[in-house]
Amino acid sequence: MLVPDSSNALMEMMRASGATPKYLPSERLRLLAMTLVTCVPWVVDRELAVRDVVELSLTFDHRVCDGGEAAGFLRRLADLVERPTLLLAS
């Protein structure tokens, strides 16, 4: 689930970085949520640096989707967000 621009503005106004998707069994099997991009201190090569960070979360029904597969999907998505050139190799 990508958050529309109006929701981003609302989250910024409320000083919220993101929201947790609510799982509704009758409507969807998986929900993907992303937080706003924020600048945070991050360790890079054992040095402290400021980096833009976005958090991803995935809500899914364990009866329908294996947790290992869901985690693998989220890891692959994070890799593609971090290094979009991987899309060219796919």
Side-chain angles (χ1 to χ4, degrees):
M1 173 181 80
L2 294 178
V3 180
D5 291 338
S6 61
S7 294
N8 282 342
L10 179 61
M11 286 196 304
E12 288 175 359
M13 184 178 72
M14 301 294 289
R15 294 190 178 148
S17 63
T20 301
K22 181 177 178 169
Y23 172 71
L24 302 171
S26 62
E27 294 184 12
R28 294 186 178 92
L29 299 177
R30 295 168 297 283
L31 296 171
L32 176 67
M34 299 172 63
T35 62
L36 296 174
V37 177
T38 55
C39 293
V40 297
W42 204 263
V43 177
V44 178
D45 297 326
R46 301 185 61 86
E47 303 259 334
L48 195 58
V50 175
R51 292 289 187 256
D52 291 333
V53 174
V54 64
E55 294 178 34
L56 303 173
S57 67
L58 185 65
T59 301
F60 61 95
D61 186 343
H62 285 274
R63 297 171 296 177
V64 178
C65 183
D66 179 67
E69 290 179 9
F73 164 77
L74 203 53
R75 177 69 264 161
R76 179 70 175 148
L77 180 60
D79 290 343
L80 293 172
V81 169
E82 291 171 0
R83 294 182 299 282
T85 56
L86 292 174
L87 285 169
L88 300 175
S90 296

